Amino acid sequence: MIAFVLQRLIQSIAIVIAMSIIVFVGVTVVGNPVDMLISPEVSQADRERIIRSFGLDLPIHQQYFVFALSVLRGEFGQSFVFGESAIKLIVQRMPATLELATTALLISIIIGLPLGVRAGLKPDSIASRLTMSFSILGFSLPTFWIGIMLMMLFAVVLGWLPATGRGPTVLFLGVEVSFLTWDGLRHLILPATTLALLKVSLVIRLARAGTLEVVHQDYIRTARAKGLKNDRIVFVHVLKNIMIPIVTIIGLEFGQLIAFSIVTETIFSWPGMGKLIVDSIRMLDRPIIVAYLMIIVVLITGINFIVDIIYAILDPRIRHEATK
Amino acid sequence: MTMDDGETPILQVRGLRTYFETDLGVGKAVDDVSFTLRRGQIIGLVGESGSGKSVTGQSLIGLVDRPGRIVGGEILFKGRDMAKLAPEELRRLRGDRISIIFQDPMTTLNPVLSIGTQLIETVLAHYPSVTPQKARERARDMLGKMGIPNPEERLDAYPHQYSGGMRQRVAIAMALINDPECVIADEPTTALDVTIQSQIAHEVKDLCRNAGTALIWITHDLGLVAALADDICVMYAGRIVERGRVEDVLGKPLHPYTRGLMDAVPSRNKRGVRLSQIPGSMPPLLALPGGCAFHPRCWRADQSDCRVSPPEESPREDGGALRCHHPLEDSIVMAR
């Protein structure tokens, strides 16, 4: 098991390094920040001084080297636009995004898994058919539309929940969170539900497909022949087998939720990373784009690393394969 | 092999019918099957693929796959009709008093749970007051009894770390762990290497004999039945066509089908002689011929009775029974 974890860790680090090169080169090629930042009236001498001050005169591999060293020190340079540390700007907004993504993920598992397993155990029941219809709806409706509709209904018409913003936050383990206050929680419900809807549908479908397949396996018949209680068959024998694909997908989806919750954040004016990155891309604010992409790369690689480990815990065959 | 006629049999099956009701018609997989299993007795249930022998086994333990359903008859387990038990009562019997060993050891164990877990949960499902340590000791002893080396360590291994033969030993240990009174063995050695087949079959026989456990051994292997069983039931198209003590039925088969099966078994006496076979194959369940289902393949079938009326069960002189309009009268069997 330790060998397996180490092996995956080394792979993860290699991926982060490779991605950093791709991110750096990609962003450098995409547009020349010099044109955006320096007004055409500036004299040639001033122009070159500014370029040198940003280190943009060096050859690209040297620029990468400088970049990699500073990244290792946790520095991504100053935002061209805000004049503040890029990493600080992002880290300030990260808790909001993480909180939103985590809540959406929890909703999708807590609602999706039981509904999906139930639909798989009793595929012909009315409740199961309703669940499946709902999941088709969840798949097909665009997120922005769901967001606006939910906002219309619960914030405008009924007035039960606030429409925008994050509400009051409290410090929890050194991070600003809103789920610990009642008002903050109320602010969280609508955007998190909007973001979760598609994922709920996905989890329902995965859980149902897995359950349908697993209940017809010989080992489930064996479990029944042994006289096990139904709860044990479902929660141990079925669930442990269907969790393997579900954990994989949920891991990937969590990365997606963090990196691309931009639309939802915009609709609900959620002060997360999404809005910042949209603005920065428009302004070609390179340090922020690079810092953001690197953070996402590290996050997603980290999630996949954790998924691999859970995978090995769930499936002994993978565990033994890797340590062979 | 004692005949304790005074005591209640472990299992009394009367007129069991298990039908598969599909859109294309009703498949009578088990049709009016009756037999009695006494304490400690071993019955061999024999037939070709599709004869309904496995569905019979599954019916006995209440595990028929959909759309199959027990539509009639009684399965009296120590006098209680299993076919009418509530699901919870049936669950309590299954894996405890009556258990089953399935055919394919590669798929019958859960791949993500350790062998120990799967054995221990079988004990705890029926005896919740047993401590996990005690259950684990029991599991270890059962593995040891089944001839698995280092049972203590092997408890923590997973199915993929076992060979096919070893997995079947685990499945047998699982079936016997709660000292059941009746075990149904559904072709447990068919998927194994020939060398291991008879080894495992004899181990199971010995374990059951020593514990006084009754055993129903479902197989298509007549040789195995001859070596293992006290009684034999020969099934064809959902019916028991001939039954009786093994030495009686195999010594003097009266049903042409039993005789045909025997003639198809290779043996030393028949060296150099071309093996005979039963012409044709088992008819599909949804298109069973009328009258005696065996008549299209039978060399003794006539144009009237055999085609029209299904034969009723008639007694054999030695206490067995058969369903045939034209039983073989002569006792010269091997000379054919």
Side-chain angles (χ1 to χ4, degrees):
Chain A
M1 189 69 191
I2 294 166
F4 174 78
V5 172
L6 271 177
Q7 185 200 339
R8 289 301 146 110
L9 196 62
I10 292 167
Q11 278 179 10
S12 302
I13 292 168
I15 288 169
V16 170
I17 292 172
M19 280 309 297
S20 74
I21 295 174
I22 294 170
V23 165
F24 180 79
V25 174
V27 172
T28 310
V29 173
V30 156
N32 188 354
V34 176
D35 302 336
M36 297 287 293
L37 290 167
I38 309 170
S39 107
E41 287 109 63
V42 172
S43 74
Q44 190 61 25
D46 282 347
R47 202 179 156 85
E48 275 166 17
R49 188 180 50 78
I50 294 169
I51 288 175
R52 248 200 313 282
S53 80
F54 282 117
L56 295 171
D57 55 333
L58 298 168
I60 192 159
H61 64 274
Q62 281 188 27
Q63 283 190 38
Y64 173 74
F65 210 64
V66 172
F67 160 77
L69 277 178
S70 56
V71 166
L72 282 179
R73 285 198 306 270
E75 291 166 17
F76 288 86
Q78 305 272 312
S79 158
F80 296 156
V81 178
F82 297 92
E84 271 185 79
S85 159
I87 191 82
K88 201 179 135 202
L89 282 168
I90 291 171
V91 167
Q92 274 173 356
R93 287 165 174 78
M94 202 157 68
T97 297
L98 283 181
E99 186 177 27
L100 184 60
T102 311
T103 311
L105 190 77
L106 286 178
I107 292 176
S108 58
I109 297 171
I110 291 168
I111 294 178
L113 201 55
L115 283 180
V117 170
R118 222 197 108 85
L121 290 175
K122 294 181 176 169
D124 297 326
S125 76
I126 293 173
S128 302
R129 285 167 198 271
L130 280 177
T131 304
M132 294 325 286
S133 311
F134 164 81
S135 83
I136 292 172
L137 221 61
F139 261 118
S140 6
L141 296 178
T143 307
F144 75 89
W145 187 83
I146 293 171
I148 291 169
M149 287 300 127
L150 286 178
M151 197 192 280
M152 277 279 285
L153 184 61
F154 291 101
V156 181
V157 179
L158 296 171
W160 292 348
L161 296 166
T164 58
R166 200 183 172 194
T169 57
V170 286
L171 220 53
F172 175 71
L173 302 174
V175 183
E176 296 273 328
V177 294
S178 48
F179 74 92
L180 287 177
T181 64
W182 172 237
D183 196 37
L185 201 61
R186 287 177 64 231
H187 278 84
L188 191 56
I189 292 175
L190 280 186
T193 308
T194 305
L195 207 52
L197 208 60
L198 178 68
K199 310 300 172 196
V200 172
S201 309
L202 190 70
V203 173
I204 285 176
R205 299 222 144 227
L206 283 171
R208 175 176 179 270
T211 307
L212 274 177
E213 194 191 316
V214 167
V215 290
H216 290 111
Q217 296 292 317
D218 285 352
Y219 54 80
I220 297 300
R221 189 181 56 177
T222 307
R224 286 202 283 145
K226 292 197 293 190
L228 298 188
K229 290 194 172 133
N230 200 40
D231 283 358
R232 175 142 185 114
I233 296 176
V234 172
F235 291 111
V236 177
H237 286 255
V238 173
L239 207 57
K240 208 171 171 196
N241 277 286
I242 67 167
M243 278 318 280
I244 295 166
I246 292 178
V247 163
T248 313
I249 301 290
I250 282 180
L252 294 174
E253 292 298 323
F254 188 49
Q256 294 262 319
L257 282 175
I258 293 171
F260 307 114
S261 56
I262 295 167
V263 173
T264 310
E265 286 189 1
T266 311
I267 294 171
F268 291 97
S269 306
W270 191 260
M273 300 187 289
K275 196 161 161 12
L276 177 68
I277 190 63
V278 170
D279 293 344
S280 302
I281 290 171
R282 206 162 46 222
M283 300 297 294
L284 277 186
D285 195 347
R286 209 160 83 179
I288 290 199
I289 299 173
V290 170
Y292 175 79
L293 288 177
M294 283 315 296
I295 284 176
I296 295 298
V297 165
V298 171
L299 270 177
I300 293 184
T301 314
I303 291 166
N304 281 331
F305 173 67
I306 294 167
V307 164
D308 276 344
I309 290 172
I310 298 177
Y311 214 104
I313 292 171
L314 285 173
D315 194 338
R317 288 163 295 188
I318 291 167
R319 197 152 70 223
H320 297 126
E321 189 79 12
T323 43
K324 233 179 246 167
Chain B
M1 272 211 255
T2 46
M3 296 266 205
D4 302 330
D5 281 323
E7 71 177 299
T8 355
I10 286 293
L11 201 62
Q12 245 181 316
V13 180
R14 289 194 199 133
L16 178 67
R17 290 170 204 274
T18 304
Y19 290 179
F20 284 74
E21 285 152 356
T22 69
D23 296 339
L24 298 171
V26 176
K28 300 178 177 179
V30 178
D31 196 10
D32 195 11
V33 161
S34 306
F35 63 89
T36 301
L37 183 68
R38 292 182 307 276
R39 191 170 295 277
Q41 193 189 17
I42 301 180
I43 287 185
L45 191 56
V46 189
E48 289 171 278
S49 303
S51 59
K53 55 191 194 302
S54 281
V55 179
T56 305
Q58 288 161 12
S59 303
L60 297 182
I61 199 164
L63 282 180
V64 185
D65 289 327
R66 276 165 197 245
R69 199 163 62 84
I70 297 174
V71 296
E74 290 178 323
I75 303 163
L76 299 176
F77 181 78
K78 297 204 287 181
R80 290 163 80 194
D81 189 354
M82 302 242 302
K84 291 189 180 64
L85 284 185
E88 174 62 14
E89 288 176 301
L90 195 58
R91 178 192 75 73
R92 286 204 191 129
L93 283 181
R94 274 205 297 250
D96 182 28
R97 300 295 85 217
I98 177 166
S99 61
I100 186 164
I101 308 165
F102 292 109
Q103 181 174 352
D104 187 358
M106 303 315 272
T107 57
T108 48
L109 299 175
N110 194 324
V112 301
L113 299 176
S114 74
I115 296 300
T117 304
Q118 298 189 54
L119 285 166
I120 290 165
E121 68 180 0
T122 315
V123 177
L124 296 181
H126 300 285
Y127 304 96
S129 58
V130 172
T131 61
Q133 289 87 341
K134 279 264 178 277
R136 191 182 162 89
E137 282 166 26
R138 173 81 185 143
R140 183 197 60 206
D141 294 348
M142 278 313 294
L143 285 190
K145 256 191 197 174
M146 281 315 298
I148 287 171
N150 301 328
E152 179 68 40
E153 284 169 44
R154 298 299 279 165
L155 278 181
D156 296 322
Y158 289 84
H160 71 275
Q161 294 167 303
Y162 280 69
S163 69
M166 286 295 165
R167 286 192 207 187
Q168 196 58 296
R169 286 167 194 270
V170 170
I172 293 165
M174 214 173 267
L176 298 177
I177 197 163
N178 289 327
D179 282 330
E181 289 164 273
C182 173
V183 173
I184 299 157
D186 187 1
E187 303 204 49
T189 59
T190 308
L192 302 178
D193 286 348
V194 187
T195 45
I196 303 173
Q197 276 186 14
S198 70
Q199 200 185 342
I200 286 191
H202 284 94
E203 279 169 25
V204 174
K205 176 184 174 175
D206 293 343
L207 281 173
C208 288
R209 285 273 191 250
N210 293 339
T213 308
L215 179 63
I216 298 175
W217 193 282
I218 299 170
T219 181
H220 57 256
D221 187 342
L222 275 182
L224 202 57
V225 170
L228 285 184
D230 306 318
D231 280 20
I232 183 171
C233 294
V234 181
M235 275 192 90
Y236 188 82
R239 288 165 175 250
I240 291 179
V241 293
E242 187 162 22
R243 63 188 165 89
R245 295 217 310 253
V246 167
E247 56 270 33
D248 295 342
V249 172
L250 295 186
K252 188 185 174 190
L254 292 183
H255 198 288
Y257 180 63
T258 313
R259 168 78 178 265
L261 282 182
M262 288 176 66
D263 288 347
V265 177
S267 88
R268 235 171 289 177
N269 311 340
K270 289 187 271 186
R271 183 165 300 189
V273 181
R274 204 180 164 81
L275 268 185
S276 70
Q277 51 182 14
I278 306 173
S281 58
M282 179 77 67
L285 275 182
L286 291 175
L288 287 185
C292 171
F294 186 58
H295 85 255
R297 303 173 71 187
C298 183
W299 77 93
R300 294 176 64 87
D302 60 23
Q303 298 298 314
S304 52
D305 279 0
C306 294
R307 291 186 170 224
V308 180
S309 60
E312 290 301 313
E313 194 171 87
S314 52
R316 283 170 57 110
E317 280 171 16
D318 48 29
L322 84 160
R323 289 174 187 269
C324 185
H325 291 301
H326 303 291
L328 303 158
E329 311 296 348
D330 58 313
S331 54
I332 317 146
V333 173
M334 287 313 189
R336 185 179 169 235

PDB file of all heavy atoms in Angstrom, chain B residues 75-98:
ATOM      1  N   ILE B  75     -42.509 -27.704  -0.140  1.00  0.00           N
ATOM      2  CA  ILE B  75     -41.125 -28.035   0.200  1.00  0.00           C
ATOM      3  C   ILE B  75     -41.093 -28.093   1.723  1.00  0.00           C
ATOM      4  O   ILE B  75     -40.953 -27.059   2.374  1.00  0.00           O
ATOM      5  CB  ILE B  75     -40.148 -26.967  -0.324  1.00  0.00           C
ATOM      6  CG1 ILE B  75     -40.304 -26.799  -1.833  1.00  0.00           C
ATOM      7  CG2 ILE B  75     -38.723 -27.346   0.031  1.00  0.00           C
ATOM      8  CD1 ILE B  75     -39.694 -25.523  -2.371  1.00  0.00           C
ATOM      9  N   LEU B  76     -41.293 -29.276   2.264  1.00  0.00           N
ATOM     10  CA  LEU B  76     -41.368 -29.378   3.718  1.00  0.00           C
ATOM     11  C   LEU B  76     -39.975 -29.589   4.287  1.00  0.00           C
ATOM     12  O   LEU B  76     -39.372 -30.637   4.089  1.00  0.00           O
ATOM     13  CB  LEU B  76     -42.290 -30.535   4.121  1.00  0.00           C
ATOM     14  CG  LEU B  76     -43.732 -30.414   3.649  1.00  0.00           C
ATOM     15  CD1 LEU B  76     -44.516 -31.667   4.015  1.00  0.00           C
ATOM     16  CD2 LEU B  76     -44.394 -29.184   4.257  1.00  0.00           C
ATOM     17  N   PHE B  77     -39.480 -28.544   4.970  1.00  0.00           N
ATOM     18  CA  PHE B  77     -38.195 -28.663   5.648  1.00  0.00           C
ATOM     19  C   PHE B  77     -38.496 -28.956   7.117  1.00  0.00           C
ATOM     20  O   PHE B  77     -38.995 -28.100   7.829  1.00  0.00           O
ATOM     21  CB  PHE B  77     -37.388 -27.365   5.490  1.00  0.00           C
ATOM     22  CG  PHE B  77     -36.043 -27.420   6.152  1.00  0.00           C
ATOM     23  CD1 PHE B  77     -34.990 -28.090   5.548  1.00  0.00           C
ATOM     24  CD2 PHE B  77     -35.830 -26.816   7.374  1.00  0.00           C
ATOM     25  CE1 PHE B  77     -33.751 -28.141   6.153  1.00  0.00           C
ATOM     26  CE2 PHE B  77     -34.590 -26.870   7.981  1.00  0.00           C
ATOM     27  CZ  PHE B  77     -33.549 -27.541   7.374  1.00  0.00           C
ATOM     28  N   LYS B  78     -38.212 -30.147   7.541  1.00  0.00           N
ATOM     29  CA  LYS B  78     -38.570 -30.616   8.883  1.00  0.00           C
ATOM     30  C   LYS B  78     -40.037 -30.295   9.199  1.00  0.00           C
ATOM     31  O   LYS B  78     -40.376 -29.813  10.273  1.00  0.00           O
ATOM     32  CB  LYS B  78     -37.658 -29.987   9.937  1.00  0.00           C
ATOM     33  CG  LYS B  78     -36.201 -30.393   9.740  1.00  0.00           C
ATOM     34  CD  LYS B  78     -35.388 -30.297  10.998  1.00  0.00           C
ATOM     35  CE  LYS B  78     -35.109 -28.857  11.381  1.00  0.00           C
ATOM     36  NZ  LYS B  78     -34.284 -28.798  12.599  1.00  0.00           N
ATOM     37  N   GLY B  79     -40.882 -30.502   8.192  1.00  0.00           N
ATOM     38  CA  GLY B  79     -42.306 -30.340   8.415  1.00  0.00           C
ATOM     39  C   GLY B  79     -42.853 -28.953   8.100  1.00  0.00           C
ATOM     40  O   GLY B  79     -44.054 -28.777   7.982  1.00  0.00           O
ATOM     41  N   ARG B  80     -41.970 -27.916   7.964  1.00  0.00           N
ATOM     42  CA  ARG B  80     -42.461 -26.559   7.635  1.00  0.00           C
ATOM     43  C   ARG B  80     -42.344 -26.337   6.128  1.00  0.00           C
ATOM     44  O   ARG B  80     -41.305 -26.646   5.537  1.00  0.00           O
ATOM     45  CB  ARG B  80     -41.630 -25.496   8.343  1.00  0.00           C
ATOM     46  CG  ARG B  80     -41.844 -25.456   9.832  1.00  0.00           C
ATOM     47  CD  ARG B  80     -40.710 -24.695  10.478  1.00  0.00           C
ATOM     48  NE  ARG B  80     -40.887 -23.244  10.370  1.00  0.00           N
ATOM     49  CZ  ARG B  80     -39.909 -22.381  10.617  1.00  0.00           C
ATOM     50  NH1 ARG B  80     -38.713 -22.811  10.923  1.00  0.00           N
ATOM     51  NH2 ARG B  80     -40.141 -21.081  10.525  1.00  0.00           N
ATOM     52  N   ASP B  81     -43.374 -25.764   5.546  1.00  0.00           N
ATOM     53  CA  ASP B  81     -43.371 -25.544   4.101  1.00  0.00           C
ATOM     54  C   ASP B  81     -42.576 -24.284   3.761  1.00  0.00           C
ATOM     55  O   ASP B  81     -43.019 -23.160   3.987  1.00  0.00           O
ATOM     56  CB  ASP B  81     -44.805 -25.423   3.577  1.00  0.00           C
ATOM     57  CG  ASP B  81     -44.829 -25.426   2.056  1.00  0.00           C
ATOM     58  OD1 ASP B  81     -43.745 -25.406   1.449  1.00  0.00           O
ATOM     59  OD2 ASP B  81     -45.941 -25.461   1.493  1.00  0.00           O
ATOM     60  N   MET B  82     -41.392 -24.480   3.207  1.00  0.00           N
ATOM     61  CA  MET B  82     -40.505 -23.352   2.875  1.00  0.00           C
ATOM     62  C   MET B  82     -41.116 -22.434   1.817  1.00  0.00           C
ATOM     63  O   MET B  82     -40.819 -21.252   1.767  1.00  0.00           O
ATOM     64  CB  MET B  82     -39.175 -23.873   2.334  1.00  0.00           C
ATOM     65  CG  MET B  82     -38.441 -24.781   3.283  1.00  0.00           C
ATOM     66  SD  MET B  82     -36.872 -24.122   3.775  1.00  0.00           S
ATOM     67  CE  MET B  82     -36.034 -23.921   2.223  1.00  0.00           C
ATOM     68  N   ALA B  83     -41.951 -23.021   0.953  1.00  0.00           N
ATOM     69  CA  ALA B  83     -42.533 -22.221  -0.127  1.00  0.00           C
ATOM     70  C   ALA B  83     -43.527 -21.202   0.418  1.00  0.00           C
ATOM     71  O   ALA B  83     -43.886 -20.260  -0.273  1.00  0.00           O
ATOM     72  CB  ALA B  83     -43.200 -23.128  -1.148  1.00  0.00           C
ATOM     73  N   LYS B  84     -43.982 -21.396   1.662  1.00  0.00           N
ATOM     74  CA  LYS B  84     -44.979 -20.477   2.212  1.00  0.00           C
ATOM     75  C   LYS B  84     -44.417 -19.623   3.342  1.00  0.00           C
ATOM     76  O   LYS B  84     -45.154 -18.851   3.962  1.00  0.00           O
ATOM     77  CB  LYS B  84     -46.191 -21.268   2.722  1.00  0.00           C
ATOM     78  CG  LYS B  84     -46.983 -21.893   1.583  1.00  0.00           C
ATOM     79  CD  LYS B  84     -48.288 -22.494   2.066  1.00  0.00           C
ATOM     80  CE  LYS B  84     -49.049 -23.106   0.914  1.00  0.00           C
ATOM     81  NZ  LYS B  84     -48.295 -24.264   0.323  1.00  0.00           N
ATOM     82  N   LEU B  85     -43.113 -19.723   3.599  1.00  0.00           N
ATOM     83  CA  LEU B  85     -42.521 -18.954   4.687  1.00  0.00           C
ATOM     84  C   LEU B  85     -42.433 -17.467   4.332  1.00  0.00           C
ATOM     85  O   LEU B  85     -42.281 -17.113   3.163  1.00  0.00           O
ATOM     86  CB  LEU B  85     -41.115 -19.458   4.997  1.00  0.00           C
ATOM     87  CG  LEU B  85     -40.977 -20.763   5.777  1.00  0.00           C
ATOM     88  CD1 LEU B  85     -39.509 -21.025   6.075  1.00  0.00           C
ATOM     89  CD2 LEU B  85     -41.769 -20.690   7.080  1.00  0.00           C
ATOM     90  N   ALA B  86     -42.514 -16.620   5.351  1.00  0.00           N
ATOM     91  CA  ALA B  86     -42.277 -15.185   5.145  1.00  0.00           C
ATOM     92  C   ALA B  86     -40.799 -14.996   4.809  1.00  0.00           C
ATOM     93  O   ALA B  86     -39.971 -15.800   5.229  1.00  0.00           O
ATOM     94  CB  ALA B  86     -42.639 -14.417   6.417  1.00  0.00           C
ATOM     95  N   PRO B  87     -40.469 -13.937   4.030  1.00  0.00           N
ATOM     96  CA  PRO B  87     -39.076 -13.734   3.615  1.00  0.00           C
ATOM     97  C   PRO B  87     -38.091 -13.769   4.783  1.00  0.00           C
ATOM     98  O   PRO B  87     -37.005 -14.340   4.668  1.00  0.00           O
ATOM     99  CB  PRO B  87     -39.105 -12.343   2.972  1.00  0.00           C
ATOM    100  CG  PRO B  87     -40.506 -12.162   2.507  1.00  0.00           C
ATOM    101  CD  PRO B  87     -41.375 -12.933   3.465  1.00  0.00           C
ATOM    102  N   GLU B  88     -38.461 -13.162   5.905  1.00  0.00           N
ATOM    103  CA  GLU B  88     -37.545 -13.112   7.042  1.00  0.00           C
ATOM    104  C   GLU B  88     -37.305 -14.503   7.628  1.00  0.00           C
ATOM    105  O   GLU B  88     -36.188 -14.856   8.001  1.00  0.00           O
ATOM    106  CB  GLU B  88     -38.089 -12.142   8.098  1.00  0.00           C
ATOM    107  CG  GLU B  88     -37.321 -12.094   9.412  1.00  0.00           C
ATOM    108  CD  GLU B  88     -35.871 -11.639   9.265  1.00  0.00           C
ATOM    109  OE1 GLU B  88     -35.502 -11.098   8.200  1.00  0.00           O
ATOM    110  OE2 GLU B  88     -35.094 -11.850  10.218  1.00  0.00           O
ATOM    111  N   GLU B  89     -38.363 -15.337   7.671  1.00  0.00           N
ATOM    112  CA  GLU B  89     -38.195 -16.705   8.184  1.00  0.00           C
ATOM    113  C   GLU B  89     -37.323 -17.532   7.244  1.00  0.00           C
ATOM    114  O   GLU B  89     -36.499 -18.323   7.684  1.00  0.00           O
ATOM    115  CB  GLU B  89     -39.574 -17.369   8.334  1.00  0.00           C
ATOM    116  CG  GLU B  89     -40.375 -16.807   9.487  1.00  0.00           C
ATOM    117  CD  GLU B  89     -41.759 -17.423   9.554  1.00  0.00           C
ATOM    118  OE1 GLU B  89     -42.517 -17.294   8.573  1.00  0.00           O
ATOM    119  OE2 GLU B  89     -42.067 -18.038  10.577  1.00  0.00           O
ATOM    120  N   LEU B  90     -37.517 -17.313   5.954  1.00  0.00           N
ATOM    121  CA  LEU B  90     -36.723 -18.015   4.955  1.00  0.00           C
ATOM    122  C   LEU B  90     -35.252 -17.616   5.076  1.00  0.00           C
ATOM    123  O   LEU B  90     -34.352 -18.451   5.019  1.00  0.00           O
ATOM    124  CB  LEU B  90     -37.251 -17.677   3.559  1.00  0.00           C
ATOM    125  CG  LEU B  90     -36.794 -18.560   2.408  1.00  0.00           C
ATOM    126  CD1 LEU B  90     -37.167 -20.004   2.663  1.00  0.00           C
ATOM    127  CD2 LEU B  90     -37.412 -18.086   1.096  1.00  0.00           C
ATOM    128  N   ARG B  91     -35.029 -16.304   5.267  1.00  0.00           N
ATOM    129  CA  ARG B  91     -33.660 -15.811   5.425  1.00  0.00           C
ATOM    130  C   ARG B  91     -32.970 -16.500   6.605  1.00  0.00           C
ATOM    131  O   ARG B  91     -31.798 -16.861   6.528  1.00  0.00           O
ATOM    132  CB  ARG B  91     -33.667 -14.304   5.659  1.00  0.00           C
ATOM    133  CG  ARG B  91     -32.270 -13.733   5.875  1.00  0.00           C
ATOM    134  CD  ARG B  91     -32.255 -12.319   6.376  1.00  0.00           C
ATOM    135  NE  ARG B  91     -32.601 -12.179   7.786  1.00  0.00           N
ATOM    136  CZ  ARG B  91     -31.804 -12.517   8.794  1.00  0.00           C
ATOM    137  NH1 ARG B  91     -30.618 -13.017   8.564  1.00  0.00           N
ATOM    138  NH2 ARG B  91     -32.181 -12.361  10.050  1.00  0.00           N
ATOM    139  N   ARG B  92     -33.732 -16.686   7.713  1.00  0.00           N
ATOM    140  CA  ARG B  92     -33.128 -17.298   8.903  1.00  0.00           C
ATOM    141  C   ARG B  92     -32.708 -18.734   8.646  1.00  0.00           C
ATOM    142  O   ARG B  92     -31.752 -19.216   9.231  1.00  0.00           O
ATOM    143  CB  ARG B  92     -34.116 -17.240  10.069  1.00  0.00           C
ATOM    144  CG  ARG B  92     -34.229 -15.836  10.610  1.00  0.00           C
ATOM    145  CD  ARG B  92     -34.692 -15.844  12.041  1.00  0.00           C
ATOM    146  NE  ARG B  92     -35.030 -14.489  12.448  1.00  0.00           N
ATOM    147  CZ  ARG B  92     -36.165 -14.167  13.007  1.00  0.00           C
ATOM    148  NH1 ARG B  92     -37.074 -15.084  13.256  1.00  0.00           N
ATOM    149  NH2 ARG B  92     -36.400 -12.917  13.339  1.00  0.00           N
ATOM    150  N   LEU B  93     -33.455 -19.421   7.790  1.00  0.00           N
ATOM    151  CA  LEU B  93     -33.099 -20.812   7.486  1.00  0.00           C
ATOM    152  C   LEU B  93     -31.901 -20.875   6.543  1.00  0.00           C
ATOM    153  O   LEU B  93     -31.007 -21.702   6.691  1.00  0.00           O
ATOM    154  CB  LEU B  93     -34.283 -21.520   6.823  1.00  0.00           C
ATOM    155  CG  LEU B  93     -35.436 -21.967   7.714  1.00  0.00           C
ATOM    156  CD1 LEU B  93     -36.488 -22.655   6.862  1.00  0.00           C
ATOM    157  CD2 LEU B  93     -34.924 -22.928   8.784  1.00  0.00           C
ATOM    158  N   ARG B  94     -31.903 -19.962   5.559  1.00  0.00           N
ATOM    159  CA  ARG B  94     -30.875 -19.990   4.518  1.00  0.00           C
ATOM    160  C   ARG B  94     -29.499 -19.685   5.071  1.00  0.00           C
ATOM    161  O   ARG B  94     -29.320 -18.692   5.762  1.00  0.00           O
ATOM    162  CB  ARG B  94     -31.198 -18.931   3.460  1.00  0.00           C
ATOM    163  CG  ARG B  94     -32.125 -19.383   2.394  1.00  0.00           C
ATOM    164  CD  ARG B  94     -31.913 -18.585   1.143  1.00  0.00           C
ATOM    165  NE  ARG B  94     -32.195 -17.185   1.316  1.00  0.00           N
ATOM    166  CZ  ARG B  94     -33.239 -16.556   0.771  1.00  0.00           C
ATOM    167  NH1 ARG B  94     -34.083 -17.225   0.029  1.00  0.00           N
ATOM    168  NH2 ARG B  94     -33.403 -15.274   0.952  1.00  0.00           N
ATOM    169  N   GLY B  95     -28.545 -20.528   4.739  1.00  0.00           N
ATOM    170  CA  GLY B  95     -27.174 -20.300   5.189  1.00  0.00           C
ATOM    171  C   GLY B  95     -26.953 -20.800   6.596  1.00  0.00           C
ATOM    172  O   GLY B  95     -25.834 -20.815   7.096  1.00  0.00           O
ATOM    173  N   ASP B  96     -28.048 -21.200   7.272  1.00  0.00           N
ATOM    174  CA  ASP B  96     -27.913 -21.702   8.626  1.00  0.00           C
ATOM    175  C   ASP B  96     -28.313 -23.176   8.671  1.00  0.00           C
ATOM    176  O   ASP B  96     -27.478 -24.057   8.842  1.00  0.00           O
ATOM    177  CB  ASP B  96     -28.782 -20.875   9.570  1.00  0.00           C
ATOM    178  CG  ASP B  96     -28.620 -21.335  11.006  1.00  0.00           C
ATOM    179  OD1 ASP B  96     -27.530 -21.843  11.323  1.00  0.00           O
ATOM    180  OD2 ASP B  96     -29.561 -21.200  11.804  1.00  0.00           O
ATOM    181  N   ARG B  97     -29.623 -23.443   8.472  1.00  0.00           N
ATOM    182  CA  ARG B  97     -30.095 -24.839   8.506  1.00  0.00           C
ATOM    183  C   ARG B  97     -30.000 -25.500   7.134  1.00  0.00           C
ATOM    184  O   ARG B  97     -29.886 -26.712   7.044  1.00  0.00           O
ATOM    185  CB  ARG B  97     -31.553 -24.887   9.008  1.00  0.00           C
ATOM    186  CG  ARG B  97     -31.819 -24.338  10.414  1.00  0.00           C
ATOM    187  CD  ARG B  97     -31.136 -25.160  11.488  1.00  0.00           C
ATOM    188  NE  ARG B  97     -29.748 -24.712  11.674  1.00  0.00           N
ATOM    189  CZ  ARG B  97     -28.748 -25.531  11.938  1.00  0.00           C
ATOM    190  NH1 ARG B  97     -28.940 -26.817  12.001  1.00  0.00           N
ATOM    191  NH2 ARG B  97     -27.541 -25.064  12.104  1.00  0.00           N
ATOM    192  N   ILE B  98     -30.157 -24.709   6.080  1.00  0.00           N
ATOM    193  CA  ILE B  98     -30.073 -25.261   4.731  1.00  0.00           C
ATOM    194  C   ILE B  98     -29.216 -24.319   3.893  1.00  0.00           C
ATOM    195  O   ILE B  98     -29.402 -23.104   3.934  1.00  0.00           O
ATOM    196  CB  ILE B  98     -31.482 -25.461   4.122  1.00  0.00           C
ATOM    197  CG1 ILE B  98     -31.405 -25.975   2.689  1.00  0.00           C
ATOM    198  CG2 ILE B  98     -32.319 -24.196   4.187  1.00  0.00           C
ATOM    199  CD1 ILE B  98     -32.735 -26.503   2.183  1.00  0.00           C
TER     200      ILE B  98
END
